[in-house]
Every structure is written in C-alpha cells, then in structure tokens.
Amino acid sequence: MTHTRTTPASLPTSETDLDRRSTRARTDPMSVTALGDSLYEVDTDHGTSYLVDLRSRRCSCPDHTFRGVRCKHLRRVAIEITEGRTPPPGRLAVECAVCGAELFVPEDETDRPHYCPLDRLEAGAFVRDRETGDRLLVVSVSDRRADHTAVGNSAYSVATYPNNREYDPADRVVGAVYPQSVSMTEAGPDPDALRVYSFPHSRLERVSGT
Ligand SMILES: [Zn+2]
Ligand SMILES: [Zn+2]
C-alpha cells in the first residue's frame, strides 16, 4: 500500500511553515544551556548561538527578530524543559557533589554543593569512607560548611583536616560513627562509647546494608 501525502495543496503557507518549524524544533541538532534569569543559550550545529528569553518569549534569531514568529529555538527550549532535560526558569543545572549526576537547583543556591537523592544522607544511613574504605553509620547531617567547622580543639577545620583537603570546602558536615565501636547497653547504644567523627559530605558514599 502506498501512502500519499494528503495535505491539500491549498493549505495556507503560514500553517505549513508552522508544521515545519514544529518538526525542526524537535529534530534539528541544537544544544540548550540555561544561563539563569529565564535566559537560555541555544547553540546550533552551524556554530551560531541565539539567546532565548523565556519570560518575554523572545529570541535573538532573525526568524523571531524580523519576522516575529515563535521560532524553533523558543520551541526547543520549551520542549527540553517539559522533558526535564533543561532546568525551568529560576533553576540552573549543577552536578551532584558525590557522583556528578545532573541536578536542577534554585539559581541563587549554585554556590554551595548539592547532592542527588541517592547521595543525600540522613541519620541511620550506612556509608563508605572514600579515603579508607571503612564502613560508617551516619548519626547527623548538618547545614554547616566543612571550612566553618572546627575539629575538636585542634587548629583544623573539617575542610583542612588531613585527608579532607581534596573535598569541597563548602561541603556540608556529616557526623558518623564506626558501628563496630558502638557498645550496647540495656538502654541501647552506650553514649559514652559513641565517638562521632566529622566528615565532609562528599567523602562519604552511601552503601546498602543494615
Ligand atoms: Zn530563534
Ligand atoms: Zn549523586
């Protein structure tokens, strides 16, 4: 069976243009980068870059500037946001501080480390120390930065402590214990035996287990 094109020849040109623009918005090779403040840079494979402002629905390309049409760049940005490949206005893409997975975060919070859902730790999580391979149990997750947190009475902060210097100084501080060191009393873990060590968050990697 042969498929023939059923589009009537009398279809208004504008409508044909619209279909074509729709298809090209989806299929043309373009890469979209969120710049913040509802601005997006769209790079085409011709080496041309256009600036799309989603809030004012403007694009710097000739199609939009001179012909006033909703060009394929504006459409592409909208498609990528809908499909979760580009952050919506007000958010920017950052990498998880532990595994590097892409995350969309509020654009005024890009100056601190972020963690993907898997790497976001909570008390009770088991983790592996990436420096020593030791298994630890998380007992606290704080909002304090590693470089603002002193280690005991020493001159070190959690960020400058030996073995921690490779990690982001803005990393959040996580308190963890060595489970094998926890001695149990009838009332539960013995608080006196519980020595809590402070780590930069991204030094600890979640592991499964109980
Ligand atoms: Zn455009
Ligand atoms: Zn991660």
Side-chain angles (χ1 to χ4, degrees):
M1 185 176 146
T2 324
H3 286 278
T4 47
R5 196 172 156 76
T6 52
T7 314
S10 61
L11 196 75
T13 325
S14 59
E15 211 162 310
T16 316
D17 276 355
L18 203 68
D19 288 348
R20 195 173 46 86
R21 213 170 275 123
S22 240
T23 310
R24 295 190 61 185
R26 194 167 280 283
T27 59
D28 276 11
M30 288 183 255
S31 75
V32 176
T33 310
L35 303 176
D37 203 21
S38 90
L39 294 176
Y40 295 83
E41 183 182 306
V42 179
D43 299 315
T44 70
D45 65 342
H46 312 296
T48 319
S49 296
Y50 298 112
L51 200 61
V52 164
D53 184 343
L54 214 57
R55 197 171 294 132
S56 61
R57 298 181 164 279
R58 284 170 182 277
C59 178
S60 61
C61 77
D63 222 19
H64 180 87
T65 311
F66 300 116
R67 300 175 56 208
V69 296
R70 188 163 178 254
C71 61
K72 62 181 182 181
H73 314 110
L74 270 161
R75 287 161 190 267
R76 178 60 161 262
V77 171
I79 290 168
E80 295 216 353
I81 290 171
T82 307
E83 293 179 352
R85 287 187 279 143
T86 294
R91 295 193 161 242
L92 286 173
V94 297
E95 288 183 353
C96 166
V98 181
C99 71
E102 194 181 58
L103 305 168
F104 299 160
V105 303
E107 62 187 22
D108 55 353
E109 290 178 17
T110 54
D111 56 339
R112 66 176 183 86
H114 291 272
Y115 311 95
C116 74
L118 183 69
D119 289 314
R120 216 172 286 145
L121 298 175
E122 69 287 325
F126 281 93
V127 290
R128 192 182 70 90
D129 177 355
R130 298 165 94 180
E131 294 296 321
T132 62
D134 287 335
R135 195 158 163 279
L136 293 113
L137 174 64
V138 172
V139 292
S140 67
V141 179
S142 80
D143 258 343
R144 286 172 301 139
R145 292 167 55 112
D147 55 355
H148 294 174
T149 307
V151 176
N153 294 323
S154 73
Y156 292 116
S157 71
V158 174
T160 58
Y161 200 75
N163 284 342
N164 288 351
R165 291 173 192 162
E166 298 295 308
Y167 300 92
D168 191 336
D171 236 347
R172 265 38 193 176
V173 174
V174 172
V177 298
Y178 292 88
Q180 58 275 22
S181 74
V182 180
S183 53
M184 298 299 280
T185 66
E186 278 181 14
D190 175 5
D192 294 331
L194 211 63
R195 174 128 188 239
V196 179
Y197 296 84
S198 296
F199 294 88
H201 190 311
S202 55
R203 181 171 156 175
L204 303 174
E205 194 171 44
R206 182 192 289 271
V207 291
S208 57
T210 49

